[in-house]
Amino acid sequence: MNRKHLFLLLFAISALCQAADFKPARVLEIRDASEVGASTVSDSSEGLSGAPGFVPAVLSRCRIAVAIDKTSYTAVYPVNKHLKITDFSPGDFISARIEGNKLVIKTLDGKEMKSKIVSHEPIQATASPAK
């Protein structure tokens, strides 16, 4: 086996191993987490004679909480062409993995998106009511 074939084989195995890290994660919550950024855009329509004003800009984001291996992980992602708030609903299963302090999810179009985990906690088992 020559070097090229060996490299391709190792690359394929690496890709399969990385894809295997994803687990089915149940969406617990998805909600709007958009923010108004203060002083993000300068309005200099006054020219040199007046002081520039600041125009707030909206940063579209969504907060997603998922359950993986009896733990709830929450992260905030930008809303863009790959991820929209309406893409998932509570109870849906998505592909996700933990990578250090990041939650990595796969969007509907197959894009991997990473975001810092803002909270994580064990999921308490619900006891069935006694009869």
Side-chain angles (χ1 to χ4, degrees):
M1 184 180 274
N2 66 24
R3 276 182 176 273
K4 183 179 177 183
H5 288 106
L6 182 60
F7 176 76
L8 289 174
L9 179 63
L10 289 175
F11 180 76
I13 291 171
S14 172
L16 287 174
C17 289
Q18 188 175 15
D21 290 342
F22 279 96
K23 297 179 179 183
R26 186 170 45 91
V27 176
L28 301 173
E29 177 186 47
I30 183 164
R31 64 182 173 92
D32 185 30
S34 297
E35 299 176 11
V36 176
S39 305
T40 56
V41 179
S42 177
D43 177 16
S44 59
S45 60
E46 298 286 326
L48 296 176
S49 62
F54 292 99
V55 179
V58 176
L59 305 171
S60 296
R61 298 179 181 190
C62 66
R63 181 181 183 101
I64 300 176
V66 297
I68 303 173
D69 296 335
K70 299 182 183 179
T71 303
S72 167
Y73 296 94
T74 303
V76 178
Y77 294 88
V79 173
N80 56 29
K81 68 179 183 178
H82 300 290
L83 179 65
K84 295 175 183 39
I85 294 173
T86 56
D87 286 349
F88 304 113
S89 298
D92 289 351
F93 281 88
I94 63 173
S95 294
R97 73 170 182 247
I98 305 303
E99 195 175 279
N101 66 343
K102 306 268 187 193
L103 176 61
V104 183
I105 63 169
K106 273 194 183 178
T107 61
L108 294 178
D109 65 358
K111 173 85 172 164
E112 291 182 21
M113 295 185 72
K114 289 183 189 181
S115 185
K116 182 179 177 186
I117 296 170
V118 294
S119 71
H120 63 89
E121 56 191 41
I123 297 173
Q124 302 296 326
T126 56
S128 59
K131 290 185 181 180

